[in-house]
Amino acid sequence: MKTRATIIAMLLMTTISAMAQMKLNFGDDSPLRKLQIAELAISNLYVDNVDEGKLVEDAIRGMLEKLDPHSSYSTPKEVKALNEPLSGSFEGIGVQFNMVEDTLLVIQPVTGGPSEKVGIVAGDRIVSVNDTAIAGVKMSKEDIMRRLRGPKGTKVMLGIVRRGIKDTLSFKVVRDKIPVKSIDAVYMIRPEVGYVRIGNFGATTHDEFCEALEKLTKQGMRNLILDLQGNGGGYLQAAVNIANEFLQKGDLIVYTEGRRMQRNEYKAKGNGKFLDGKIVVLIDEYSASAAEIVTGAIQDQDRGKVVGRRSFGKGLVQRPIDLPDGSMIRLTVSHYYTPAGRCIQKPYTKGDSKDYAMDVMNRLKHGELMSADSIHFADSLKCYTLREHRPVYGGGGIMPDYFVPLDTLAYTKFHRELSAKSYIINANLKYVDANRKALRKRWTSFDEFRRDFVFPKEEIDKMIADAAKDKIVPKDNAELEKTLPKLSMQLKALVARDLWDMSEYFAIINEESEIVRKAVEIIGN
């Protein structure tokens, strides 16, 4: 039986041998050799057992955290979750749903999807998946989604409770690829003025956008409002393809450049589908990356006007580096620059991700979101647009041509609390669920609905009474009276979403948006 001293001696010999081998491969002062010696020493000599995989992951994260805020490491599971919204599809049963009192309520099945094909309809409640109860058991939304999703071609048995039918229904659904749309809304906001809202820039965004342009053109569109508010970005090529639809042949869209990356220019091909009409782009403090590329190209080329608030300022280009186990490093390799030469990236301190993450809150505290006068740019950051030679500034984000302040008083504290505690969405879901057939029969025309429908006052009173039990109450009658109009409008928009789709939701919501109103005004001039 080997003594403890013998075992330690053998481990040391193994470590020294490995170190010697590394010395041959990397040289005495190689940082990589130093890192591997440390890992070998810990895994062979540390007092307790260690998870080598986690040790390496922590080391990678530690290195990346000392760089910029956007270089990152993702586990295989995280990689899949990150890619899904941009890839254009996922595999599952194909329903839009929400949770109501621990029960999954189908808002609507995806048109042509596997659930619709077997007869699942809006208003159905999914109570079991493969004989496992998911209703009334406080199962997390993530666990439910994991059970519903699965590889294309696999089968899942769903237990369905349907209003008006006593027994639980059973449906065998064959999972399939479910399209993920990146365009949230497409409609004619005014005569001859189209509106398109892009949620992110994914693999299918350009195709979706071309379909939207074709649809709106047939409806008489001559001018366009492109809404990129809250758009966090996505694929560079998708942004380039969208900008190409507006710009003349040879117009620079964006260029990238880094320490080890030569300047790479992206130019318009001249084959765009919307080369002549007016364009107004809407942005806010959450518009980032690919959204800023499109906005910067349109502004610098004097192709259209920009309305809203200064964008996020994410101008770092990441290259994905796939690792053998399916994990991935996203390493920043260059910067984005607008056609006028502006660097989109806002300033940051290496290793200080906390302050970077708080940037939007800091803008709010400093008054930048409420007043353009609170925003100061150094003259050294001044550039000029390429046709009209208007001054624009670098130093982080895109500053709009027309600033629209954030109205922090638009929604009362009472309204925000109702929303945060899900009272508004639940009141809508319950109302539509109980009246779906009658609503569909009565409101066959959205234009008529938009003009005449009013969300029932008794349903709002019931919601307010329920919220009071949770001690969510208005400060006084004045706050209640100020809350009711916007609350009623929001509930009306949610009903429109459930009866039609997101385009109808935004058609109602946008009429209360100061940014959208400003865009309509500009296009009309």
Side-chain angles (χ1 to χ4, degrees), residues 90 92-96 106 108-122 152 173-181 501:
F90 66 90
I93 66 168
V95 294
Q96 295 180 34
V106 176
Q108 53 185 246
V110 173
T111 303
S115 289
E116 186 186 63
K117 286 178 180 177
V118 299
I120 293 173
V121 298
K152 177 182 178 180
V173 180
V174 180
R175 296 183 179 99
D176 203 347
K177 281 195 173 296
I178 309 301
V180 177
K181 298 292 185 182
D501 210 336

Side-chain angles (χ1 to χ4, degrees), residues 367-499:
E368 178 184 322
L369 303 184
M370 280 74 78
S371 172
D373 293 337
S374 300
I375 307 169
H376 303 288
F377 295 104
D379 284 342
S380 60
L381 300 173
K382 184 184 289 186
C383 298
Y384 293 91
T385 60
L386 302 182
R387 286 175 169 80
E388 298 177 9
H389 305 291
R390 297 179 296 116
V392 288
Y393 290 87
I398 304 295
M399 185 66 186
D401 301 302
Y402 297 88
F403 180 85
V404 178
L406 176 68
D407 186 355
T408 57
L409 301 178
Y411 293 94
T412 65
K413 181 183 177 184
F414 178 51
H415 193 145
R416 292 195 299 270
E417 287 179 340
L418 288 172
S419 179
K421 293 286 186 178
S422 299
Y423 278 100
I424 298 173
I425 187 69
N426 286 335
N428 165 72
L429 291 171
K430 289 175 183 177
Y431 171 71
V432 173
D433 186 41
N435 300 279
R436 192 181 303 273
K437 286 185 178 179
L439 287 166
R440 288 194 182 281
K441 185 177 180 180
R442 169 66 183 85
W443 303 105
T444 55
S445 162
F446 172 68
D447 288 337
E448 186 182 350
F449 175 92
R450 177 166 52 179
R451 186 183 67 238
D452 298 333
F453 177 82
V454 178
F455 194 86
K457 179 65 164 56
E458 60 269 24
E459 295 293 333
I460 295 177
D461 291 341
K462 193 186 303 181
M463 176 189 66
I464 291 174
D466 288 342
K469 297 173 186 176
D470 200 17
K471 297 183 179 179
I472 297 175
V473 294
K475 180 178 63 177
D476 49 33
N477 283 335
E479 184 179 29
L480 177 61
E481 290 304 311
K482 185 175 181 180
T483 301
L484 288 175
K486 287 192 179 294
L487 183 59
S488 179
M489 178 272 297
Q490 186 179 2
L491 286 162
K492 178 178 179 176
L494 288 168
V495 173
R497 178 202 66 179
D498 291 355
L499 296 183

Side-chain angles (χ1 to χ4, degrees), residues 98-131:
N98 215 318
M99 301 301 297
V100 180
E101 297 173 350
D102 293 334
T103 301
L104 188 154
L105 175 67
V106 176
I107 303 299
Q108 53 185 246
V110 173
T111 303
S115 289
E116 186 186 63
K117 286 178 180 177
V118 299
I120 293 173
V121 298
D124 282 350
R125 288 166 165 78
I126 302 178
V127 296
S128 65
V129 179
N130 290 333
D131 297 324

Side-chain angles (χ1 to χ4, degrees), residues 313-358:
K314 196 271 186 184
L316 297 175
V317 186
Q318 283 74 51
R319 169 176 289 178
I321 300 170
D322 296 319
L323 301 177
D325 64 348
S327 60
M328 182 176 69
I329 292 173
R330 288 176 57 81
L331 188 67
T332 297
V333 295
S334 54
H335 287 88
Y336 291 124
Y337 295 88
T338 69
R342 293 182 286 167
C343 180
I344 295 172
Q345 180 61 42
K346 62 187 174 185
Y348 62 88
T349 301
K350 288 184 178 180
D352 189 356
S353 58
K354 184 178 179 180
D355 185 64
Y356 186 83
M358 292 296 291

